[in-house]
Amino acid sequence: MTRSSAPGKVYLFGEHAVVYGEPAVLCAIERRARVGVEPRDDGRLRVHAEDLSLDGFTVEYGASAGDRPDVDVSESLVTAATQYVDSAIEHVRDVTGDEETGFDVTIESDIPLGAGLGSSAAVAVAAIDAGTRALGTTLESDELAERAYRTEYEVQDGQASRADTFCSATGGAVRVEGDDCRSIEAPDVPIVIGFDGGAGDTGELVSGVRSLREEYEFAADTVETIGDLARNGEDALTADDLEEAGRLMNFNHGLLSALGVSSRSLDTMVWAARDAGALGAKLTGAGGGGCIVTLDPTPETETALSFTPGCEEAFRAGLAETGVERLE
Ligand code: PMV
């Protein structure tokens, strides 16, 4: 079995606005998806997943599009995870030119699904890397990020930026603006995450912001202002000014709320973190439910969040310096 892992990520600044070409700043975090791929000669694809905040599942189906799936995949998150693997394997076939081989794919992940920590990007990156290596091809990081981006783009009906997949493939802190994706120097950011146990529907939330932006001038202006905050946030981070970075994260959360993508539980966790003395707190990713990201070098925020009603899990997340890791 060929195995690769890829990290999840948080948005420090700029989600949603990045979809319209504004800059975003993200950090890869040491929570990973590990994907194992074993070629099989009957052309079938079998996906087995554990630890995806679900009870685990197995899906098996044939190589042709008309022959899938042959087990019940009614749970929507399971369906989504399977779609990412399916699309990732199509890229493996495209890169290697091998249309015949089937695959056993095993996913283990400690990144909650659909919660703003980039689980789908990490699965896509690790699956493409392990799948291509299983067939004897090792992709450069840029091509891996591009293929993983196209996987997300296809599954999410064209509603994806390059941010998550580039960050997961590359690791560290990154800045993404349109097609321009690059690593940036950032201090060792003291990240604490709060998770409400839920998930948001990225496609629906992105569509909601798109409609608002078309209907209201304030929403278009808000998207631009989020871009300005991301530029200022990048400057604050590279100057090691965590207080300013935190303040800008607070502004960013307010603007995301105005765009309608926060939720009661995300707002509750944000306020609990601020009350505990966090330098800044905001939702991360598409929103609607899932995770918040906060900056706090002290233990206070993590402790306060773990006692906050509606917060299912609070944890400190170290920066993942490396993106994709080739395990064997
Ligand atoms: O919730 P996530 O991790 O899928 O992040 C979505 C981020 C958006 O900016 C809302 C969409 C995108 O593809 O950039």
Side-chain angles (χ1 to χ4, degrees):
M1 166 142 338
T2 307
R3 293 174 73 234
S4 298
S5 82
K9 61 93 223 319
V10 288
Y11 274 88
L12 295 178
F13 304 100
E15 55 272 89
H16 285 287
V18 71
V19 173
Y20 308 99
E22 298 293 342
V25 177
L26 301 87
C27 268
I29 54 166
E30 265 316 334
R31 282 232 159 178
R32 287 183 172 263
R34 285 164 287 276
V35 178
V37 177
E38 185 68 43
R40 48 192 283 167
D41 48 23
D42 63 1
R44 291 174 71 81
L45 175 61
R46 180 178 181 276
V47 183
H48 177 71
E50 282 172 9
D51 306 330
L52 290 168
S53 306
L54 296 160
D55 294 336
F57 65 92
T58 301
V59 182
E60 179 169 340
Y61 48 89
S64 69
D67 181 27
R68 64 180 59 157
D70 62 2
V71 295
D72 178 18
V73 285
S74 54
E75 165 63 64
S76 65
L77 287 175
V78 171
T79 309
T82 309
Q83 282 173 337
Y84 286 103
V85 174
D86 191 12
S87 175
I89 290 298
E90 286 307 316
H91 282 281
V92 170
R93 294 199 162 114
D94 191 43
V95 168
T96 58
D98 183 337
E99 300 287 332
E100 306 297 319
T101 305
F103 301 92
D104 275 328
V105 178
T106 303
I107 308 169
E108 289 166 14
S109 175
D110 37 50
I111 311 168
L113 269 186
L117 298 186
S119 57
S120 54
V123 166
V125 167
I128 294 172
D129 191 70
T132 46
R133 286 195 305 116
L135 298 183
T137 303
T138 301
L139 294 180
E140 295 292 330
S141 173
D142 280 357
E143 176 157 17
L144 180 58
E146 178 64 24
R147 292 278 177 177
Y149 158 65
R150 280 160 55 185
T151 295
E152 283 215 314
Y153 189 87
E154 286 150 15
V155 176
Q156 292 167 201
D157 293 329
Q159 316 226 61
S161 70
R162 290 184 148 75
D164 286 30
T165 38
F166 179 75
C167 188
S168 186
T170 313
V174 306
R175 174 198 209 275
V176 172
E177 184 169 3
D179 295 349
D180 179 18
C181 304
R182 56 181 77 175
S183 297
I184 60 169
E185 284 299 320
D188 195 6
V189 196
I191 292 171
V192 175
I193 288 169
F195 174 40
D196 69 4
D201 182 328
T202 301
E204 230 169 67
L205 290 151
V206 170
S207 298
V209 171
R210 171 160 292 132
S211 309
L212 210 61
R213 191 170 161 270
E214 280 159 12
E215 196 173 344
Y216 294 96
E217 216 175 296
F218 101 84
D221 293 346
T222 301
V223 164
E224 277 183 35
T225 308
I226 290 176
D228 290 338
L229 287 180
R231 287 183 193 92
N232 296 339
E234 181 189 354
D235 292 344
L237 283 175
T238 45
D240 208 354
D241 188 347
L242 290 179
E243 289 203 0
E244 177 65 3
R247 199 171 303 127
L248 295 166
M249 284 169 67
N250 287 338
F251 296 153
N252 196 160
H253 181 76
L255 296 178
L256 288 166
S257 280
L259 293 176
V261 297
S262 191
S263 71
R264 191 179 292 268
S265 58
L266 294 173
D267 285 344
T268 303
M269 292 191 292
V270 159
W271 279 105
R274 290 178 189 161
D275 288 347
L279 300 174
K282 62 181 277 296
L283 67 83
T284 170
C291 292
I292 64 158
V293 53
T294 78
L295 296 190
D296 192 354
T298 77
E300 305 299 330
T301 297
E302 190 180 346
T303 308
L305 282 174
S306 63
F307 289 107
T308 300
C311 177
E312 191 172 292
E313 196 189 347
F315 56 94
R316 189 166 284 285
L319 177 76
E321 309 253 0
T322 52
V324 68
E325 282 180 0
R326 292 166 178 146
L327 303 170
E328 57 213 55

